Amino acid sequence: MAERRVWAMIAALLALGVLLVPLSQALFGLRLTYTVRVVALGGSLLGALSGAVGCFAVLRRESLLGDALSHAALPGVAVGFLLAGRQLGALLVGAGIASWLGLRLVAAILRTTRIKQDAALGIVLASFFAAGIALLTYIQSLPEASQAGLDSFIFGQAAAIIASDIALLGAVGLAVTLVLALLWKEFKLITFDAEFASAGGLRGGLIDALLSTLIVVTIVLGLQLAGVILMVGMLIAPAIAARQWTHSLEQMVVLAAALGAFAGGSGAVISALDSDIPTGPMIIVVAFALVALSITLAPGRGVLWRQLRQRENRRHFRSRRLETGA
Amino acid sequence: MMGLERALIELLLRFVTHDALNAFLRSPQHTASLVGCLIAICGALLGTFLLLRGLSLTSDAISHTVLLGIVLAFMLMTGAGLEGDTSSPWLIVGAAAAGVGTVVLTETLHRSGLVRQDAALGLAFPLLFAIAVILVSRFVDDVHLDDDAVLVGEIGLAWANTNSHCFEHCESLRITPEHPAAQQMRQCVNCRELTISPRDERAEFREVCGNCGVYTPAQAWSAGLLDEAPTLVFFPKSITVMLVLTALTVGFVAVFYKELKLTTFDAALAKSLGFRPAALTYALMILVSLVAVGAFDAVGSILVIAFFIIPPAAAYLLTDRLSGMLLLSPVIGGAGAFFGYDLARGWLFGMLPVAEGIAALNAIFGLQLREAWDSSISASVVLTMFVLFVLVWILSPRYGLVVSAVRRANSRRRFDDQVVLAHIHNHQGTPSHAIELRAATLHQHFRWTPQKMNRVLMRLRALGFVSQEAGSAILTQRGDAHVHAFRKQLLVAHNIPDIDPTQP
Amino acid sequence: MPEPAELALVIDDLTVAYDQKPAIWDIDLEVPQGALMAIVGPNGAGKSTLIKAALNLIPRAAGSVLFHGKPYEAARHLVGYVPQRGSVDWDFPTSVLDVVTMGLYGKLGWLRRPGRRERAQALAALEQVGLLDYAGRQISQLSGGQQQRTFLARALVQDAQIYFMDEPFAAVDATTEAAIVNILRELNKRGRTVLVVHHDLQTVPEYFDWLTLLNVEVVASGPTCQVFTLDNLQKTYGGRVTSLHGGQVLAAGG
Ligand SMILES: Nc1ncnc2c1ncn2[C@@H]1O[C@H](COP(=O)(O)OP(=O)(O)OP(=O)(O)O)[C@@H](O)[C@H]1O
Ligand SMILES: [Mg+2]
Ligand SMILES: [Zn+2]
Ligand SMILES: [Zn+2]
Ligand SMILES: [Zn+2]
């Protein structure tokens, strides 16, 4: 029963997503240009990808790792530019390497010192980001640099998305889906009970590394659109919203992907209403609205639901007391 | 604020001349280092408590959301027709509100029981930051809030934004048309309205005074209207703001030291003793927000978190005492701020030139990067702090990598000895004696390599703990005494009576 | 001495240390096949450490562990594990049936997904622990005892030869305890070896036929009737056990 409700919700979201562009054209008389449609498509692809991957980050209590890793990617972008010029491939590879180094550094600090996770994340986040800023300032002072537009990696610049980026996002999305589908039960077990998993002979380290890689890849792809500061929101908001509606991991991941896609697409369309509204932040606001809705309204878990049930209980209790008192 | 500044300058003028003071403050390096050090002191003191409470990333969240407070206050102020300025009290109120708002939003999300603490934080601040960015690009056209200012601040320009104070010959000057210095000139009355050129014969003229008005002493002097130079001091506003914040922070920590200590280490006990841990936490968060907004001009809204997190983390690896951390972390932060300026200009710690590093890179990878390094000051300050942190991490005499490695090697050796001795002691005189203690096969029981076992046995023989008898290792009397000594040490910790199983 | 082939578990000279401080120290332990054994010792004695080291979950400083004569890598399919209940996040979005099916993942190997047969096995295990009605339930909606039984069912589907259970009786009521004991006896009857970390001294002789007293070192190990003496318990608990209820235990020891 509950299962079917969630699948219906996912279907509705997907339908809404597909119809988003024609609907908003029809209802609001919006004229969506080719660019806006590309951005909306990119936003929803990224939203779907980060929604699905983010579920594992949230369930493993690594929500803020995404924040540190996305900030840590910045110096990689700058070094990639210095070494290879403005080629998206080089920038993304650089970002991936830097972000992965940040991950290792967090692990090293945690392993060899008594510093706790929050501070270790903060150290890596701040110092990598500073390194990125220092390198970007240096790049801007270079005579030949046409400023390179690297700033767009900080706040994200959705308008810069072009068709080839969509192809990249789609390809990576497909690869991630494939990995998730093939290793589904391993991912699930390691996230739920890592100890039992390795007692059962699962190579925990390998799966761990694979999951971290998925998160890093997602972050790197999202930088262009959402920017390093807001990427963590893309990663965890859909997952948290989805968690409220369902008790099954399968549904949670699919629903998070659908919610992420919806937030990405509609955020892009809303920001097209006014040239002054930036796309990345708008997507985050939509995603958070979905979280707020889910937390209040989700049946069973939601705040409203629980309050209703509490009142019901109280009324029940009171009438019982009246009966026994009489 | 102005009065405070003046009192401070008067104090300083007892020791230096105003020319020297002006010269000192006019140097971008001096002002930047000073402001950086003050931010570092505030950040380090507050950050120490955040670190020990596991709240380090809350400073990250607050520093992001302070932007929202600033933007909202900005919008309200421009709406009310006020001049926007980052040292205005309204901005400070806005920032404090945003900081508290972040904490409240996170707590609310967390308290709903549906979202974990870390996820709640990760949700709250991207949202508030996103709203701030939308508001900036949608409604605020002030150059002051452009992307770069948000990110890195302008600590290098802090020297230029000053208040002027006058101490001698301070008459402000009013020039009236009667004043000898007044410049009278002829002005065409109707050329503007009628677009008639003054050359036109219909033009009407009147006498006007070109330089009439009220002059502050500084203006009067620079316009050459004074014979005697006024004694002027130009004092950077950032220094004042940060001085006030530093005083507040130091005062807060000094006054509430006992309470802060107790609530940090044992919130439950503190509560039962009648302290209010929550109130102190909110006070802490308000101070964090204030420092974040005070530092906004200088280092932007993101890099400031380094000032809260990195120096206390480094101090945490150097000392176990709260008071030690409170002393060390400002020193580390201050050193970072001081040397950071050098790094921005291409010198790491004033000694190692960055240019040579770039030259090496160029040579190795065949690149053509410009060797002159000139970079963001605030980012360089953070990088310097990080370098200091790494140095401490490696070299700390208490928890450093080097010391731990040495200590681990030592205790590893001692531990191996103990494992073997305990094994011999356990099996000596039992039926399994011959199997368990045969020297040639001893390594197999432990799954050690024969080499490792040989090394350990050799050491134990040299120490006179172990001897060999009929191909089996046995304990000497000294060895037995040694086993009893370290067994006791270990077992006391476990509440086990030292009953020797090999004795009848 | 029993023949080595009959020994389900042989631990030889096992030492495990955290930060060079031994948590268990030169442990020698032999458990015959078909034993229903309690591991008893005070908090911090190293009981969980012993189990984790045997299952290769933490590194050993010295020593070896053999399961039916084979090292762990070769004997994985022989071993079942019930971790301490607090070790997982019970708000994880998954159902009881799902958790039990996880016990079969090791057998399935990489890439293969659980199918109808696995589902049937999991349901059978749930029936055995009396949780069949709860199969579809989200795990956060279980009571502590039900969570414990879920874990037990997950171990049952592993169909192992040797079971390691870390405090399965912690915080469960009398009915659940009885149910769990019945399952242990059932396993025992089928010739399985079961090692249980246990805290309640009073029920040791009733539930278990084999006993290991552990406090960093093995104080005593063997048939319960021989090992369960006041003297041994005092060695284990450091004189904090002053009397055992009933004179029968003392008599057995003397
Ligand atoms: N990860 C760890 N790091 C450092 N020390 C540890 C670790 N885990 C356990 N210890 C220490 O090792 C010793 C044995 O711990 P263990 O968990 O095995 O005890 P136990 O017998 O299971 O206790 P309990 O009855 O409380 O479950 C304890 O002193 C504990 O403090
Ligand atoms: Mg335990
Ligand atoms: Zn041996
Ligand atoms: Zn002795
Ligand atoms: Zn031994």
Side-chain angles (χ1 to χ4, degrees):
Chain A
M1 176 57 205
E3 291 210 352
R4 229 174 292 146
R5 188 184 57 213
V6 177
W7 290 123
M9 204 176 135
I10 293 168
L13 273 170
L14 288 181
L16 206 60
V18 172
L19 295 177
L20 191 64
V21 171
L23 262 185
S24 53
Q25 269 170 333
L27 289 182
F28 307 114
L30 259 183
R31 295 229 333 103
L32 297 177
T33 58
Y34 172 75
T35 332
V36 174
R37 272 183 262 168
V38 168
V39 172
L41 187 56
S44 31
L45 276 176
L46 177 67
L49 182 62
S50 54
V53 173
C55 288
F56 291 96
V58 169
L59 289 174
R60 285 154 59 95
R61 303 173 186 234
E62 286 175 349
S63 301
L64 292 172
L65 189 65
D67 190 32
L69 294 189
S70 54
H71 283 74
L74 194 59
V77 173
V79 171
F81 177 81
L82 282 176
L83 293 181
R86 188 168 171 71
Q87 296 170 5
L88 189 62
L91 301 187
L92 293 189
V93 169
I97 292 175
S99 169
W100 184 82
L101 281 178
L103 183 71
R104 302 312 315 155
L105 187 59
V106 171
I109 292 178
L110 289 180
R111 200 179 55 244
T112 60
T113 73
R114 56 198 198 126
I115 292 170
K116 313 265 180 324
Q117 198 198 13
D118 63 320
L121 289 176
I123 291 168
V124 169
L125 185 159
S127 48
F128 273 60
F129 191 73
I133 293 288
L135 285 169
L136 287 189
T137 323
Y138 168 71
I139 288 173
Q140 276 170 7
S141 75
L142 295 181
E144 70 270 25
S146 53
Q147 305 312 321
L150 295 186
D151 288 10
S152 67
F153 281 90
I154 298 175
F155 289 108
Q157 197 169 48
I161 288 190
I162 50 173
S164 67
D165 296 340
I166 302 282
L168 181 66
L169 263 172
V172 173
L174 220 58
V176 170
T177 314
L178 200 67
V179 171
L180 279 180
L182 283 180
L183 296 176
W184 178 257
K185 73 179 196 304
E186 282 78 13
F187 280 150
K188 182 170 170 180
L189 186 54
I190 203 111
T191 311
F192 174 59
D193 191 348
E195 200 168 71
F196 186 82
S198 41
L202 201 65
R203 294 276 299 285
L206 200 70
I207 301 285
D208 243 16
L210 206 57
L211 256 182
S212 310
T213 311
L214 288 190
I215 294 177
V216 167
V217 166
T218 308
I219 286 173
V220 166
L221 285 179
L223 289 186
Q224 247 200 326
L225 200 144
V228 302
I229 301 172
L230 296 174
M231 192 53 216
V232 60
M234 289 292 280
L235 207 55
I236 68 176
I240 292 172
R243 175 68 189 89
Q244 315 306 328
W245 298 91
T246 171
H247 288 317
S248 118
L249 185 62
E250 286 82 354
Q251 286 188 339
M252 176 175 166
V253 170
V254 178
L255 182 58
L259 286 172
F262 179 77
S266 54
V269 170
I270 294 174
S271 77
L273 291 174
D274 183 323
S275 62
D276 270 345
I277 298 181
T279 309
M282 197 61 229
I283 294 178
I284 299 296
V285 171
V286 174
F288 187 85
L290 292 176
V291 171
L293 270 178
S294 307
I295 284 182
T296 35
L297 295 182
R301 252 172 98 95
V303 173
L304 203 66
W305 184 276
R306 278 189 305 183
Q307 249 159 23
L308 278 180
R309 200 165 39 198
Q310 230 166 37
R311 189 172 316 159
E312 187 80 0
N313 282 350
R314 224 172 302 151
R315 186 152 357 114
H316 190 70
F317 182 67
R318 210 174 307 141
S319 64
R320 277 259 303 277
R321 218 170 35 183
L322 280 179
E323 278 169 30
T324 49
Chain B
M1 211 61 133
M2 289 295 275
L4 250 161
E5 215 167 86
R6 197 176 171 86
L8 176 73
I9 297 170
E10 271 169 8
L11 187 71
L12 286 174
L13 285 181
R14 300 213 176 150
F15 304 105
V16 291
T17 66
H18 75 277
D19 280 331
L21 188 59
N22 276 335
F24 179 85
L25 293 172
R26 213 170 16 241
S27 144
Q29 169 155 23
H30 292 153
T31 303
S33 302
L34 200 56
V35 172
C37 283
L38 290 174
I39 298 174
I41 291 172
C42 296
L45 289 178
L46 298 173
T48 297
F49 292 104
L50 296 181
L51 180 97
L52 292 174
R53 290 165 174 233
L55 291 175
S56 287
L57 283 178
T58 310
S59 69
D60 180 24
I62 287 182
S63 65
H64 283 65
T65 53
V66 152
L67 181 65
L68 180 61
I70 292 177
V71 174
L72 286 177
F74 234 92
M75 288 171 59
L76 286 179
M77 273 159 52
T78 33
L82 293 168
E83 171 78 11
D85 181 353
T86 32
S87 53
S88 140
W90 289 108
L91 279 195
I92 290 171
V93 172
V100 172
T102 316
V103 179
V104 170
L105 180 58
T106 326
E107 280 290 301
T108 315
L109 279 172
H110 177 55
R111 198 111 30 80
S112 76
L114 303 174
V115 182
R116 278 204 209 92
Q117 186 90 52
D118 62 329
L121 204 59
L123 272 179
F125 76 84
L127 171 75
L128 299 180
F129 194 77
I131 295 176
V133 172
I134 291 177
L135 290 180
V136 168
S137 43
R138 184 78 179 77
F139 300 108
V140 181
D141 291 324
D142 194 292
V143 277
H144 202 82
L145 282 175
D146 69 351
D147 294 356
D148 272 355
V150 169
L151 286 174
V152 293
E154 288 148 344
I155 200 172
L157 298 180
W159 65 277
N161 188 8
T162 58
N163 291 322
S164 65
H165 295 266
C166 179
F167 292 89
E168 258 176 63
H169 311 296
C170 297
E171 308 81 42
S172 50
L173 192 63
R174 173 183 287 275
I175 296 197
T176 53
E178 290 76 41
H179 195 280
Q183 288 170 4
Q184 301 284 1
M185 41 193 183
R186 245 161 44 108
Q187 189 187 40
C188 167
V189 180
N190 48 11
C191 62
R192 211 181 291 133
E193 290 110 67
L194 304 172
T195 59
I196 295 175
S197 142
R199 297 229 185 92
D200 200 293
E201 49 211 26
R202 282 168 299 167
E204 285 175 42
F205 294 95
R206 70 173 180 203
E207 286 273 298
V208 290
C209 169
N211 56 351
C212 286
V214 182
Y215 287 69
T216 66
Q219 287 165 337
W221 170 247
S222 60
L225 298 172
L226 296 180
D227 309 325
E228 226 165 342
T231 308
L232 284 169
V233 172
F234 297 92
F235 203 78
K237 292 178 188 170
S238 306
I239 294 185
T240 319
V241 172
M242 284 321 300
L243 271 177
V244 171
L245 284 172
T246 310
L248 260 178
T249 307
V250 172
F252 174 74
V253 172
V255 171
F256 292 106
Y257 180 74
K258 181 167 88 295
E259 288 81 358
L260 280 168
K261 188 171 178 175
L262 191 62
T263 49
T264 299
F265 291 109
D266 193 345
L269 176 67
K271 205 166 189 171
S272 73
L273 290 178
F275 295 111
R276 304 258 308 274
L280 267 183
T281 305
Y282 276 104
L284 208 57
M285 293 308 166
I286 289 178
L287 269 177
V288 169
S289 320
L290 291 184
V291 172
V293 73
F296 181 81
D297 258 354
V299 297
S301 81
I302 295 169
L303 291 175
V304 71
I305 73 159
F307 291 79
F308 286 107
I309 300 180
I310 298 181
Y316 192 49
L317 297 182
L318 286 170
T319 172
D320 281 333
R321 302 174 56 87
L322 176 60
S323 50
M325 280 183 75
L326 288 175
L327 287 179
L328 276 174
S329 48
V331 172
I332 295 168
F338 186 77
F339 290 115
Y341 194 90
D342 284 341
L343 180 58
R345 299 286 163 263
W347 292 86
L348 186 57
F349 294 124
M351 294 177 293
L352 309 171
V354 177
E356 281 183 14
I358 301 177
L361 279 182
N362 279 343
I364 296 169
F365 294 106
L367 299 168
Q368 271 121 34
L369 300 176
R370 202 179 57 146
E371 292 181 9
W373 177 264
D374 186 8
S375 185
S376 151
I377 298 168
S378 44
S380 302
V381 169
V382 175
L383 282 179
T384 314
M385 285 186 197
F386 178 66
V387 171
L388 288 174
F389 169 79
V390 172
L391 286 179
V392 169
W393 182 14
I394 296 173
L395 298 178
S396 158
R398 198 178 278 262
Y399 297 106
L401 287 179
V402 174
V403 170
S404 322
V406 172
R407 205 182 290 148
R408 206 163 33 238
N410 277 339
S411 70
R412 160 118 254 151
R413 211 172 302 135
R414 206 168 48 233
F415 175 73
D416 289 345
D417 292 356
Q418 292 181 353
V419 171
V420 173
L421 287 173
H423 174 70
I424 301 176
H425 186 260
N426 279 355
H427 296 282
Q428 199 165 318
T430 63
S432 58
H433 180 117
I435 312 170
E436 290 285 348
L437 298 186
R438 226 165 77 77
T441 55
L442 204 51
H443 66 272
Q444 290 171 359
H445 294 276
F446 292 166
R447 299 286 144 127
W448 287 358
T449 60
Q451 290 82 1
K452 179 172 175 183
M453 184 52 88
N454 272 343
R455 257 200 323 269
V456 174
L457 276 180
M458 236 145 70
R459 199 161 52 226
L460 289 175
R461 250 183 252 132
L463 287 167
F465 289 160
V466 166
S467 66
Q468 207 154 329
E469 197 172 86
S472 297
I474 57 161
L475 287 184
T476 61
Q477 209 141 32
R478 247 187 95 185
D480 194 60
H482 186 66
V483 173
H484 281 259
F486 69 69
R487 260 175 65 92
K488 195 166 210 159
Q489 246 182 33
L490 171 71
L491 301 186
V492 161
H494 283 278
N495 258 322
I496 311 172
D498 184 21
I499 298 163
D500 190 342
T502 61
Q503 308 296 315
Chain C
M1 274 206 118
E3 284 292 299
E6 290 176 33
L7 291 175
L9 177 72
V10 177
I11 297 180
D12 185 26
D13 303 324
L14 180 66
T15 298
V16 179
Y18 298 107
D19 280 335
Q20 317 292 323
K21 291 218 180 55
I24 52 176
W25 204 0
D26 201 51
I27 301 274
D28 295 277
L29 197 62
E30 298 182 340
V31 184
Q33 188 181 345
L36 182 49
M37 183 176 97
I39 302 173
V40 171
N43 290 129
K47 304 178 294 294
S48 302
T49 304
L50 174 66
I51 290 184
K52 285 181 190 165
L55 299 180
N56 265 11
L57 294 175
I58 47 177
R60 308 165 187 163
S64 63
V65 181
L66 297 178
F67 305 84
H68 289 277
K70 286 179 253 175
Y72 183 70
E73 288 73 26
R76 218 164 244 152
H77 58 284
L78 299 177
V79 180
Y81 177 41
V82 180
Q84 262 177 310
R85 182 155 49 85
S87 62
V88 302
D89 167 20
W90 287 99
D91 195 32
F92 194 86
T94 190
S95 67
V96 172
L97 184 64
D98 244 5
V99 173
V100 177
T101 315
M102 287 179 192
L104 294 162
Y105 285 4
K107 281 220 181 75
L108 277 173
W110 292 82
L111 303 187
R112 283 201 21 228
R113 324 193 85 214
R116 196 172 302 145
R117 202 161 57 102
E118 281 74 21
R119 191 181 148 87
Q121 278 175 290
L123 285 173
L126 275 176
E127 180 159 31
Q128 209 178 338
V129 300
L131 282 184
L132 196 52
D133 295 341
Y134 295 82
R137 230 192 237 206
Q138 210 268 323
I139 53 173
S140 67
Q141 298 162 1
L142 295 178
S143 72
Q146 289 164 343
Q147 291 175 352
Q148 196 65 61
R149 280 190 279 166
T150 307
F151 265 5
L152 198 60
R154 182 175 69 170
L156 288 179
V157 295
Q158 289 183 287
D159 193 27
Q161 293 297 317
I162 313 171
Y163 284 100
F164 291 84
M165 307 189 179
D166 203 344
E167 307 200 12
F169 298 114
V172 301
D173 64 10
T175 343
T176 310
E177 185 160 329
I180 295 177
V181 168
N182 276 337
I183 294 164
L184 297 187
R185 294 218 169 107
E186 177 67 28
L187 284 171
N188 189 237
K189 228 179 283 162
R190 301 213 309 257
R192 306 297 199 263
T193 313
V194 185
L195 281 71
V196 179
V197 173
H198 193 49
H199 269 299
D200 183 6
L201 289 179
Q202 312 222 349
T203 51
V204 166
E206 184 191 339
Y207 293 167
F208 301 98
D209 60 11
W210 207 265
L211 173 65
T212 293
L213 293 173
L214 182 77
N215 195 348
V216 186
E217 300 169 309
V218 172
V219 176
S221 177
T224 308
C225 55
Q226 290 170 24
V227 171
F228 196 67
T229 63
L230 185 58
D231 186 36
N232 276 340
L233 289 175
Q234 263 171 353
K235 279 190 207 168
T236 315
Y237 285 86
R240 275 174 292 167
V241 181
T242 45
S243 74
L244 292 168
H245 85 17
Q248 146 229 11
V249 176
L250 289 174

